[in-house]
Amino acid sequence: MANHKTIGIIGSGQMGSGIAQVCAVAGFDVWLYDIAHEQLQKAHKNIETSLEKLAAKGKLLPEKAKSAMQHLNITTQFGDLKKCSLCIEAATEKEALKKKIFKELDELTGPETILATNTSSIPITDLAAATKRPDKIIGMHFMNPVPLMALVEVIRGKKTSDETHQKTIELTKKLGKTPVTVKDSPGFVINRILAPMLNEAVWALQEGLATKEDIDTAMKEGCHFPMGPLALADFVGLDTCLFILEVMHKDLKNDKFKPCPLLKKYVEEKKLGRKTGEGFYSYASTIVR
Ligand code: 3HC
């Protein structure tokens, strides 16, 4: 059933480029779209570097890395997405922007095209309402860094059809990922649990329970986390963490999701984590993955 050949990805930031990479590795023809040509070129380079790294480590056959690059196309022309049987939107986490993209994709692509979103917290049903094909709208929430993380949350909106759901599960498996079906509720499962945990780590820092390094060491050495929560918040992006908490706080009407003032302060100061070179930690180089 999952007979896609050409996949369009909208947005070439860390998530969009990671999704494009895994789709190209799986043998799909990929069109990675962004309005900014410079950003696209950066994404193209980062994908190449990531593939080389995986090949050098023996995690990917060199010929697969090479053919993935041949399957990858970058474009600033929205019209190039017309030929796609699946589009995965991975634009900035802004509801109005995502709705606009969905409306335009609905008008551009063929009636059978499935339109997926990588949103981390916006309800799928709301995005589906911007289109005339709510049965073909679905959430595919990938984890960062996409090439290394196995999970994809698959989220059905109120009107998503069984066929769209089934095709998406099959596609996720073809990408070598593990699908988990989740109800359309703010934050889904991952961010419902992860975001308050990251927020709590910021509260611990604000209250001076320990240094940032010791908070991270505690969770790494004490709970076997691969990364400490403050380092992970920097990795995800502090603006993204704040946005997710705000959506859950507003929509679930529960103060346990209220963002910590220190997190807000970092975002106000534009210290957003790795992507800006500074967050809870400083980073020498900023690589968009
Ligand atoms: N492609 C290729 N290589 C990559 C890469 C990529 N996209 N991203 C990182 N790497 C490489 C690094 O360059 C580094 O290479 P090096 O060893 O040659 O320097 C290597 O991976 C990192 O290796 P490490 O030994 O430091 O760490 P691990 O390999 O054990 O794991 C990790 C790295 C998978 C990132 C691990 O630290 C981890 O699991 N961290 C937690 C990530 C996580 O929780 N992600 C989910 C976030 S939530 C989310 O995304 C949802 C959103 O909505 C907020």
Side-chain angles (χ1 to χ4, degrees):
M1 274 176 102
N3 51 1
H4 302 295
K5 199 174 168 297
T6 307
I7 300 180
I9 317 286
I10 297 91
S12 64
Q14 336 184 60
M15 297 307 286
S17 60
I19 298 166
Q21 178 175 330
V22 296
C23 291
V25 168
F28 296 101
D29 289 327
V30 175
W31 286 83
L32 178 59
Y33 164 83
D34 205 305
I35 42 170
H37 184 61
E38 204 178 294
Q39 170 64 32
L40 274 172
Q41 281 180 317
K42 204 157 127 187
H44 193 267
K45 182 77 203 140
N46 286 339
I47 292 171
E48 196 169 28
T49 307
S50 170
L51 290 169
E52 280 167 4
K53 204 161 203 175
L54 294 171
K57 285 184 178 171
K59 291 183 179 170
L60 186 68
L61 290 171
E63 51 271 28
K64 267 237 159 169
K66 199 173 163 212
S67 81
M69 285 313 288
Q70 286 161 357
H71 280 290
L72 178 69
N73 305 280
I74 55 173
T75 181
T76 54
Q77 301 299 311
F78 195 71
D80 282 336
L81 301 171
K82 193 177 169 67
K83 49 190 157 291
C84 299
S85 59
L86 167 71
C87 289
I88 307 175
E89 171 276 318
T92 310
E93 202 65 358
K94 288 188 181 136
E95 191 164 338
L97 173 68
K98 286 184 189 282
K99 280 185 172 162
K100 180 174 177 280
I101 292 170
F102 267 84
K103 186 172 180 294
E104 287 171 3
L105 284 172
D106 190 33
E107 286 160 5
L108 178 75
T109 58
E112 293 309 313
T113 298
I114 291 177
L115 305 178
T117 171
N118 181 53
T119 181
S120 48
S121 51
I122 299 169
I124 308 308
T125 305
D126 291 359
L127 297 177
T131 73
K132 294 193 181 77
R133 62 179 90 186
D135 57 313
K136 295 198 172 58
I137 310 297
I138 196 154
M140 286 184 87
H141 182 213
F142 291 79
M143 303 298 124
N144 188 15
V146 178
L148 305 188
M149 304 297 287
L151 183 75
V152 177
E153 287 186 296
V154 175
I155 307 111
R156 296 183 70 151
K158 269 201 189 106
K159 295 188 178 164
T160 309
S161 68
D162 289 342
E163 188 186 0
T164 299
H165 177 239
Q166 190 52 36
K167 280 184 175 174
T168 306
I169 296 284
E170 283 175 28
L171 171 83
T172 304
K173 290 181 182 166
K174 269 197 182 173
L175 299 180
K177 304 289 182 198
T178 308
V180 166
T181 300
V182 180
K183 228 173 126 174
D184 191 13
S185 171
F188 314 128
V189 164
I190 284 290
N191 283 321
R192 177 76 180 258
I193 297 169
L194 182 67
M197 194 275 287
L198 299 183
N199 196 37
E200 204 55 35
V202 187
W203 278 108
L205 181 65
Q206 179 175 293
E207 291 172 18
L209 297 192
T211 62
K212 60 184 180 222
E213 291 84 1
D214 281 352
I215 290 168
D216 276 354
T217 301
M219 296 307 286
K220 279 193 291 181
E221 304 295 321
C223 295
H224 262 185
F225 279 30
M227 245 179 200
L230 298 171
L232 181 55
D234 273 357
F235 186 64
V236 166
L238 302 189
D239 54 340
T240 304
C241 292
L242 178 62
F243 180 81
I244 293 166
L245 284 162
E246 284 174 341
V247 168
M248 291 198 296
H249 186 220
K250 180 168 77 63
D251 293 354
L252 296 168
K253 298 180 182 48
N254 190 325
D255 274 350
K256 72 180 173 187
F257 302 112
K258 194 173 176 185
C260 175
L262 185 62
L263 178 63
K264 285 184 163 179
K265 184 172 176 283
Y266 270 85
V267 173
E268 275 159 22
E269 291 172 0
K270 302 270 185 292
K271 293 177 185 167
L272 307 182
R274 280 186 187 243
K275 61 185 165 191
T276 56
E278 198 175 354
F280 294 113
Y281 297 92
S282 293
Y283 303 90
S285 65
T286 54
I287 299 169
V288 179
R289 286 203 173 97

PDB file of all heavy atoms in Angstrom, residues 112-139:
ATOM      1  N   GLU A 112      -4.754  12.314  -4.435  1.00  0.00           N
ATOM      2  CA  GLU A 112      -4.340  11.126  -3.659  1.00  0.00           C
ATOM      3  C   GLU A 112      -3.160  11.400  -2.742  1.00  0.00           C
ATOM      4  O   GLU A 112      -2.788  10.558  -1.915  1.00  0.00           O
ATOM      5  CB  GLU A 112      -3.987   9.971  -4.615  1.00  0.00           C
ATOM      6  CG  GLU A 112      -5.165   9.409  -5.391  1.00  0.00           C
ATOM      7  CD  GLU A 112      -6.329   9.047  -4.467  1.00  0.00           C
ATOM      8  OE1 GLU A 112      -6.081   8.403  -3.439  1.00  0.00           O
ATOM      9  OE2 GLU A 112      -7.467   9.452  -4.770  1.00  0.00           O
ATOM     10  N   THR A 113      -2.541  12.563  -2.904  1.00  0.00           N
ATOM     11  CA  THR A 113      -1.330  12.851  -2.123  1.00  0.00           C
ATOM     12  C   THR A 113      -1.639  12.964  -0.627  1.00  0.00           C
ATOM     13  O   THR A 113      -2.573  13.661  -0.227  1.00  0.00           O
ATOM     14  CB  THR A 113      -0.672  14.165  -2.627  1.00  0.00           C
ATOM     15  OG1 THR A 113      -0.293  13.963  -3.981  1.00  0.00           O
ATOM     16  CG2 THR A 113       0.550  14.537  -1.801  1.00  0.00           C
ATOM     17  N   ILE A 114      -0.829  12.272   0.168  1.00  0.00           N
ATOM     18  CA  ILE A 114      -0.955  12.355   1.634  1.00  0.00           C
ATOM     19  C   ILE A 114      -0.122  13.538   2.104  1.00  0.00           C
ATOM     20  O   ILE A 114       1.012  13.732   1.655  1.00  0.00           O
ATOM     21  CB  ILE A 114      -0.483  11.034   2.291  1.00  0.00           C
ATOM     22  CG1 ILE A 114      -1.475   9.910   1.960  1.00  0.00           C
ATOM     23  CG2 ILE A 114      -0.324  11.187   3.808  1.00  0.00           C
ATOM     24  CD1 ILE A 114      -1.088   8.549   2.490  1.00  0.00           C
ATOM     25  N   LEU A 115      -0.692  14.331   2.983  1.00  0.00           N
ATOM     26  CA  LEU A 115       0.025  15.488   3.528  1.00  0.00           C
ATOM     27  C   LEU A 115       0.280  15.236   5.009  1.00  0.00           C
ATOM     28  O   LEU A 115      -0.655  15.160   5.810  1.00  0.00           O
ATOM     29  CB  LEU A 115      -0.802  16.768   3.321  1.00  0.00           C
ATOM     30  CG  LEU A 115      -1.231  17.070   1.866  1.00  0.00           C
ATOM     31  CD1 LEU A 115      -2.075  18.346   1.819  1.00  0.00           C
ATOM     32  CD2 LEU A 115      -0.013  17.206   0.948  1.00  0.00           C
ATOM     33  N   ALA A 116       1.557  15.094   5.348  1.00  0.00           N
ATOM     34  CA  ALA A 116       1.924  14.808   6.741  1.00  0.00           C
ATOM     35  C   ALA A 116       2.601  16.030   7.352  1.00  0.00           C
ATOM     36  O   ALA A 116       3.159  16.861   6.646  1.00  0.00           O
ATOM     37  CB  ALA A 116       2.862  13.606   6.789  1.00  0.00           C
ATOM     38  N   THR A 117       2.543  16.096   8.669  1.00  0.00           N
ATOM     39  CA  THR A 117       3.224  17.190   9.358  1.00  0.00           C
ATOM     40  C   THR A 117       4.126  16.625  10.448  1.00  0.00           C
ATOM     41  O   THR A 117       3.762  15.665  11.124  1.00  0.00           O
ATOM     42  CB  THR A 117       2.224  18.190   9.981  1.00  0.00           C
ATOM     43  OG1 THR A 117       2.970  19.109  10.801  1.00  0.00           O
ATOM     44  CG2 THR A 117       1.165  17.530  10.839  1.00  0.00           C
ATOM     45  N   ASN A 118       5.277  17.256  10.589  1.00  0.00           N
ATOM     46  CA  ASN A 118       6.211  16.861  11.652  1.00  0.00           C
ATOM     47  C   ASN A 118       6.000  17.736  12.902  1.00  0.00           C
ATOM     48  O   ASN A 118       6.890  17.840  13.740  1.00  0.00           O
ATOM     49  CB  ASN A 118       7.657  16.999  11.134  1.00  0.00           C
ATOM     50  CG  ASN A 118       8.678  16.597  12.165  1.00  0.00           C
ATOM     51  OD1 ASN A 118       8.630  15.509  12.722  1.00  0.00           O
ATOM     52  ND2 ASN A 118       9.609  17.500  12.478  1.00  0.00           N
ATOM     53  N   THR A 119       4.839  18.345  13.016  1.00  0.00           N
ATOM     54  CA  THR A 119       4.624  19.202  14.196  1.00  0.00           C
ATOM     55  C   THR A 119       4.901  18.442  15.491  1.00  0.00           C
ATOM     56  O   THR A 119       4.638  17.236  15.583  1.00  0.00           O
ATOM     57  CB  THR A 119       3.189  19.776  14.232  1.00  0.00           C
ATOM     58  OG1 THR A 119       3.079  20.598  15.386  1.00  0.00           O
ATOM     59  CG2 THR A 119       2.122  18.700  14.282  1.00  0.00           C
ATOM     60  N   SER A 120       5.416  19.166  16.479  1.00  0.00           N
ATOM     61  CA  SER A 120       5.708  18.511  17.758  1.00  0.00           C
ATOM     62  C   SER A 120       4.590  18.721  18.760  1.00  0.00           C
ATOM     63  O   SER A 120       4.590  18.126  19.822  1.00  0.00           O
ATOM     64  CB  SER A 120       7.022  19.055  18.323  1.00  0.00           C
ATOM     65  OG  SER A 120       7.035  20.458  18.286  1.00  0.00           O
ATOM     66  N   SER A 121       3.612  19.581  18.416  1.00  0.00           N
ATOM     67  CA  SER A 121       2.570  19.830  19.416  1.00  0.00           C
ATOM     68  C   SER A 121       1.244  20.378  18.873  1.00  0.00           C
ATOM     69  O   SER A 121       0.249  20.368  19.587  1.00  0.00           O
ATOM     70  CB  SER A 121       3.106  20.799  20.479  1.00  0.00           C
ATOM     71  OG  SER A 121       3.651  21.935  19.866  1.00  0.00           O
ATOM     72  N   ILE A 122       1.226  20.864  17.643  1.00  0.00           N
ATOM     73  CA  ILE A 122      -0.019  21.474  17.130  1.00  0.00           C
ATOM     74  C   ILE A 122      -1.004  20.366  16.710  1.00  0.00           C
ATOM     75  O   ILE A 122      -0.600  19.411  16.030  1.00  0.00           O
ATOM     76  CB  ILE A 122       0.296  22.401  15.928  1.00  0.00           C
ATOM     77  CG1 ILE A 122       1.239  23.528  16.379  1.00  0.00           C
ATOM     78  CG2 ILE A 122      -0.979  22.981  15.313  1.00  0.00           C
ATOM     79  CD1 ILE A 122       1.840  24.341  15.255  1.00  0.00           C
ATOM     80  N   PRO A 123      -2.287  20.479  17.118  1.00  0.00           N
ATOM     81  CA  PRO A 123      -3.247  19.413  16.773  1.00  0.00           C
ATOM     82  C   PRO A 123      -3.373  19.180  15.261  1.00  0.00           C
ATOM     83  O   PRO A 123      -3.480  20.134  14.484  1.00  0.00           O
ATOM     84  CB  PRO A 123      -4.571  19.934  17.359  1.00  0.00           C
ATOM     85  CG  PRO A 123      -4.171  20.883  18.438  1.00  0.00           C
ATOM     86  CD  PRO A 123      -2.878  21.513  17.969  1.00  0.00           C
ATOM     87  N   ILE A 124      -3.324  17.917  14.880  1.00  0.00           N
ATOM     88  CA  ILE A 124      -3.412  17.522  13.464  1.00  0.00           C
ATOM     89  C   ILE A 124      -4.781  17.922  12.906  1.00  0.00           C
ATOM     90  O   ILE A 124      -4.894  18.373  11.765  1.00  0.00           O
ATOM     91  CB  ILE A 124      -3.224  15.980  13.326  1.00  0.00           C
ATOM     92  CG1 ILE A 124      -1.943  15.512  14.034  1.00  0.00           C
ATOM     93  CG2 ILE A 124      -3.249  15.547  11.861  1.00  0.00           C
ATOM     94  CD1 ILE A 124      -0.687  16.233  13.667  1.00  0.00           C
ATOM     95  N   THR A 125      -5.821  17.781  13.730  1.00  0.00           N
ATOM     96  CA  THR A 125      -7.184  18.101  13.292  1.00  0.00           C
ATOM     97  C   THR A 125      -7.281  19.576  12.887  1.00  0.00           C
ATOM     98  O   THR A 125      -7.958  19.912  11.911  1.00  0.00           O
ATOM     99  CB  THR A 125      -8.181  17.775  14.432  1.00  0.00           C
ATOM    100  OG1 THR A 125      -7.983  16.412  14.790  1.00  0.00           O
ATOM    101  CG2 THR A 125      -9.624  17.982  14.005  1.00  0.00           C
ATOM    102  N   ASP A 126      -6.585  20.450  13.601  1.00  0.00           N
ATOM    103  CA  ASP A 126      -6.610  21.886  13.266  1.00  0.00           C
ATOM    104  C   ASP A 126      -5.927  22.136  11.924  1.00  0.00           C
ATOM    105  O   ASP A 126      -6.397  22.937  11.109  1.00  0.00           O
ATOM    106  CB  ASP A 126      -5.891  22.713  14.353  1.00  0.00           C
ATOM    107  CG  ASP A 126      -6.666  22.713  15.666  1.00  0.00           C
ATOM    108  OD1 ASP A 126      -7.744  22.104  15.709  1.00  0.00           O
ATOM    109  OD2 ASP A 126      -6.173  23.319  16.638  1.00  0.00           O
ATOM    110  N   LEU A 127      -4.794  21.460  11.685  1.00  0.00           N
ATOM    111  CA  LEU A 127      -4.088  21.640  10.409  1.00  0.00           C
ATOM    112  C   LEU A 127      -4.920  21.060   9.266  1.00  0.00           C
ATOM    113  O   LEU A 127      -4.999  21.642   8.185  1.00  0.00           O
ATOM    114  CB  LEU A 127      -2.705  20.985  10.456  1.00  0.00           C
ATOM    115  CG  LEU A 127      -1.723  21.572  11.482  1.00  0.00           C
ATOM    116  CD1 LEU A 127      -0.412  20.795  11.497  1.00  0.00           C
ATOM    117  CD2 LEU A 127      -1.443  23.049  11.195  1.00  0.00           C
ATOM    118  N   ALA A 128      -5.577  19.920   9.537  1.00  0.00           N
ATOM    119  CA  ALA A 128      -6.398  19.269   8.516  1.00  0.00           C
ATOM    120  C   ALA A 128      -7.536  20.176   8.060  1.00  0.00           C
ATOM    121  O   ALA A 128      -7.938  20.157   6.889  1.00  0.00           O
ATOM    122  CB  ALA A 128      -6.945  17.955   9.060  1.00  0.00           C
ATOM    123  N   ALA A 129      -8.020  21.006   8.988  1.00  0.00           N
ATOM    124  CA  ALA A 129      -9.151  21.889   8.679  1.00  0.00           C
ATOM    125  C   ALA A 129      -8.781  22.956   7.645  1.00  0.00           C
ATOM    126  O   ALA A 129      -9.665  23.569   7.041  1.00  0.00           O
ATOM    127  CB  ALA A 129      -9.656  22.556   9.968  1.00  0.00           C
ATOM    128  N   ALA A 130      -7.487  23.148   7.418  1.00  0.00           N
ATOM    129  CA  ALA A 130      -7.054  24.129   6.410  1.00  0.00           C
ATOM    130  C   ALA A 130      -7.112  23.530   5.000  1.00  0.00           C
ATOM    131  O   ALA A 130      -6.816  24.211   4.019  1.00  0.00           O
ATOM    132  CB  ALA A 130      -5.636  24.593   6.728  1.00  0.00           C
ATOM    133  N   THR A 131      -7.480  22.244   4.896  1.00  0.00           N
ATOM    134  CA  THR A 131      -7.490  21.571   3.592  1.00  0.00           C
ATOM    135  C   THR A 131      -8.878  21.015   3.273  1.00  0.00           C
ATOM    136  O   THR A 131      -9.748  20.966   4.146  1.00  0.00           O
ATOM    137  CB  THR A 131      -6.504  20.370   3.575  1.00  0.00           C
ATOM    138  OG1 THR A 131      -7.081  19.313   4.369  1.00  0.00           O
ATOM    139  CG2 THR A 131      -5.150  20.747   4.143  1.00  0.00           C
ATOM    140  N   LYS A 132      -8.996  20.525   2.025  1.00  0.00           N
ATOM    141  CA  LYS A 132     -10.257  19.878   1.635  1.00  0.00           C
ATOM    142  C   LYS A 132     -10.085  18.357   1.650  1.00  0.00           C
ATOM    143  O   LYS A 132     -10.877  17.625   1.084  1.00  0.00           O
ATOM    144  CB  LYS A 132     -10.659  20.345   0.235  1.00  0.00           C
ATOM    145  CG  LYS A 132     -11.019  21.825   0.182  1.00  0.00           C
ATOM    146  CD  LYS A 132     -11.709  22.171  -1.132  1.00  0.00           C
ATOM    147  CE  LYS A 132     -12.053  23.649  -1.220  1.00  0.00           C
ATOM    148  NZ  LYS A 132     -10.887  24.489  -1.535  1.00  0.00           N
ATOM    149  N   ARG A 133      -8.979  17.883   2.249  1.00  0.00           N
ATOM    150  CA  ARG A 133      -8.733  16.430   2.293  1.00  0.00           C
ATOM    151  C   ARG A 133      -8.329  15.986   3.703  1.00  0.00           C
ATOM    152  O   ARG A 133      -7.260  15.355   3.860  1.00  0.00           O
ATOM    153  CB  ARG A 133      -7.659  16.039   1.268  1.00  0.00           C
ATOM    154  CG  ARG A 133      -6.323  16.675   1.545  1.00  0.00           C
ATOM    155  CD  ARG A 133      -5.257  16.276   0.547  1.00  0.00           C
ATOM    156  NE  ARG A 133      -5.202  17.171  -0.577  1.00  0.00           N
ATOM    157  CZ  ARG A 133      -4.438  16.989  -1.638  1.00  0.00           C
ATOM    158  NH1 ARG A 133      -3.657  15.936  -1.713  1.00  0.00           N
ATOM    159  NH2 ARG A 133      -4.433  17.866  -2.628  1.00  0.00           N
ATOM    160  N   PRO A 134      -9.146  16.267   4.709  1.00  0.00           N
ATOM    161  CA  PRO A 134      -8.749  15.920   6.083  1.00  0.00           C
ATOM    162  C   PRO A 134      -8.494  14.433   6.295  1.00  0.00           C
ATOM    163  O   PRO A 134      -7.772  14.049   7.208  1.00  0.00           O
ATOM    164  CB  PRO A 134      -9.937  16.406   6.934  1.00  0.00           C
ATOM    165  CG  PRO A 134     -11.060  16.613   5.990  1.00  0.00           C
ATOM    166  CD  PRO A 134     -10.465  16.929   4.664  1.00  0.00           C
ATOM    167  N   ASP A 135      -9.059  13.596   5.392  1.00  0.00           N
ATOM    168  CA  ASP A 135      -8.822  12.141   5.495  1.00  0.00           C
ATOM    169  C   ASP A 135      -7.379  11.782   5.143  1.00  0.00           C
ATOM    170  O   ASP A 135      -6.905  10.702   5.483  1.00  0.00           O
ATOM    171  CB  ASP A 135      -9.791  11.379   4.571  1.00  0.00           C
ATOM    172  CG  ASP A 135      -9.669  11.824   3.120  1.00  0.00           C
ATOM    173  OD1 ASP A 135      -9.648  13.057   2.865  1.00  0.00           O
ATOM    174  OD2 ASP A 135      -9.565  10.943   2.245  1.00  0.00           O
ATOM    175  N   LYS A 136      -6.690  12.683   4.435  1.00  0.00           N
ATOM    176  CA  LYS A 136      -5.321  12.379   3.984  1.00  0.00           C
ATOM    177  C   LYS A 136      -4.280  13.193   4.751  1.00  0.00           C
ATOM    178  O   LYS A 136      -3.138  13.323   4.320  1.00  0.00           O
ATOM    179  CB  LYS A 136      -5.199  12.630   2.487  1.00  0.00           C
ATOM    180  CG  LYS A 136      -6.070  11.674   1.700  1.00  0.00           C
ATOM    181  CD  LYS A 136      -5.680  11.568   0.261  1.00  0.00           C
ATOM    182  CE  LYS A 136      -6.461  10.472  -0.412  1.00  0.00           C
ATOM    183  NZ  LYS A 136      -7.921  10.656  -0.342  1.00  0.00           N
ATOM    184  N   ILE A 137      -4.670  13.733   5.876  1.00  0.00           N
ATOM    185  CA  ILE A 137      -3.744  14.519   6.704  1.00  0.00           C
ATOM    186  C   ILE A 137      -3.358  13.679   7.925  1.00  0.00           C
ATOM    187  O   ILE A 137      -4.224  13.065   8.569  1.00  0.00           O
ATOM    188  CB  ILE A 137      -4.399  15.846   7.183  1.00  0.00           C
ATOM    189  CG1 ILE A 137      -5.039  16.597   6.011  1.00  0.00           C
ATOM    190  CG2 ILE A 137      -3.386  16.713   7.935  1.00  0.00           C
ATOM    191  CD1 ILE A 137      -4.114  17.064   4.930  1.00  0.00           C
ATOM    192  N   ILE A 138      -2.075  13.666   8.233  1.00  0.00           N
ATOM    193  CA  ILE A 138      -1.599  12.832   9.348  1.00  0.00           C
ATOM    194  C   ILE A 138      -0.344  13.450   9.969  1.00  0.00           C
ATOM    195  O   ILE A 138       0.363  14.216   9.303  1.00  0.00           O
ATOM    196  CB  ILE A 138      -1.339  11.373   8.843  1.00  0.00           C
ATOM    197  CG1 ILE A 138      -1.220  10.396  10.023  1.00  0.00           C
ATOM    198  CG2 ILE A 138      -0.125  11.293   7.911  1.00  0.00           C
ATOM    199  CD1 ILE A 138      -1.572   8.965   9.692  1.00  0.00           C
ATOM    200  N   GLY A 139      -0.088  13.128  11.215  1.00  0.00           N
ATOM    201  CA  GLY A 139       1.141  13.584  11.872  1.00  0.00           C
ATOM    202  C   GLY A 139       2.213  12.512  11.773  1.00  0.00           C
ATOM    203  O   GLY A 139       1.934  11.319  11.946  1.00  0.00           O
TER     204      GLY A 139
END
